[in-house]
């Protein structure tokens, strides 16, 4: 990659960071291009050089953010497989990766969750596409788990993948907003127990059970 491409990527990352923070603080309509440029430490013209409009900037930041999350989930699954872990281990690693990503970009997650429920936005179709990409990563691991016999053949893979994705989003936002004193390890351990089917009075020291595995 040449130096000009590297500089442009660095500039776009600055704009991404500035825009997502400002829009989370003020809302999309109240955030101006001037404010984004000032927060990013660049000239206003630089914003328009990289993005044709504020709407396109916001669409791109949503796409960029969820693609980063998807890559983080995929990397967690791949690294687990390389270490010899099974699909349930991969799911657990993806939960931790998701929590870590959201802890780093809480404003992005707040925006994403808010935008999911709006239907009049120009970027709605883009949002659905990138959401689908993230959930497809989880679905792939669930299918591997069923094929390996770690997970029950009766689980609804699309719904379970969506539920796991939503669980991490909501739990992480609750953690960041209302329980910030808790550590990533602590929150991950709680979700890991839920993932492993250890809630409902079962001993955490007992044998692990996979998601949807027969009891």
């Amino acid at each position: 990659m040449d130096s000009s491409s590297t500089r442009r990527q660095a500039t776009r990352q600055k704009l991404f960071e500035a825009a997502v923070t400002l829009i989370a603080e003020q809302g999309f309509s109240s955030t101006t291009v001037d404010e984004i440029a000032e927060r990013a430490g660049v000239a206003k013209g630089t914003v328009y050089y990289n993005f044709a409009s504020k709407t396109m900037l916001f669409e791109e930041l949503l796409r960029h953010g969820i693609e980063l999350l998807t890559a983080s989930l995929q990397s967690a699954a791949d690294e687990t497989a390389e270490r010899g872990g099974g699909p349930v281990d991969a799911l657990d690693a993806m939960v931790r990766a998701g929590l870590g990503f959201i802890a780093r970009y809480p404003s992005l997650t707040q925006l994403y969750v808010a935008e999911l429920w709006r239907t009049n936005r120009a970027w709605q179709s883009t949002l659905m596409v990138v959401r689908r990409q993230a959930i497809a990563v989880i679905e792939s691991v669930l299918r591997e788990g069923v094929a390996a016999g770690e997970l029950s053949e009766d689980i609804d893979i699309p719904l379970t993948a969506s539920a796991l994705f939503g669980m991490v989003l909501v739990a992480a936002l609750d953690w960041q907003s209302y329980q910030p004193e808790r550590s990533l390890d602590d929150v991950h351990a709680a979700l890991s127990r839920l993932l492993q089917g250890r809630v409902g009075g079962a001993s955490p020291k007992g044998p692990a059970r996979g998601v949807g595995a027969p009891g």
Side-chain angles (χ1 to χ4, degrees), residues 59-198:
E59 180 174 345
E60 180 60 25
L61 81 84
L62 283 173
R63 180 198 296 275
H64 177 64
I66 303 306
E67 285 178 348
L68 285 176
L69 173 57
T70 301
S72 179
L73 298 178
Q74 186 66 65
S75 178
D78 292 344
E79 289 173 6
T80 301
E82 289 172 3
R83 293 194 302 269
V88 174
D89 298 318
L91 290 171
D92 188 58
M94 292 164 80
V95 167
R96 184 179 182 87
L99 290 171
F101 179 89
I102 294 165
R104 182 179 179 188
Y105 297 113
S107 297
L108 170 68
T109 309
Q110 292 168 3
L111 284 176
Y112 170 75
V113 171
E115 291 300 319
L116 274 180
W117 306 107
R118 293 181 174 144
T119 58
N120 62 339
R121 299 294 207 188
W123 48 79
Q124 193 66 26
S125 61
T126 295
L127 197 58
M128 292 302 101
V129 169
V130 293
R131 174 188 175 275
R132 179 69 243 157
Q133 291 171 350
I135 291 177
V137 174
I138 305 173
E139 288 181 354
S140 177
V141 175
L142 288 172
R143 288 193 182 91
E144 291 174 11
V146 172
E150 289 192 34
L151 307 180
S152 169
E153 294 181 355
D154 296 330
I155 68 170
D156 185 320
I157 288 176
L159 185 58
T160 301
S162 295
L164 288 172
F165 186 68
M167 175 186 75
V168 173
L169 287 178
V170 173
L173 286 177
D174 185 88
W175 164 39
Q176 293 291 304
S177 300
Y178 303 113
Q179 305 177 64
E181 72 282 357
R182 300 184 69 167
S183 68
L184 173 60
D185 287 341
D186 186 27
V187 177
H188 172 236
L191 294 189
S192 183
R193 289 189 198 84
L194 183 60
L195 176 71
Q196 299 282 0
R198 297 177 186 174

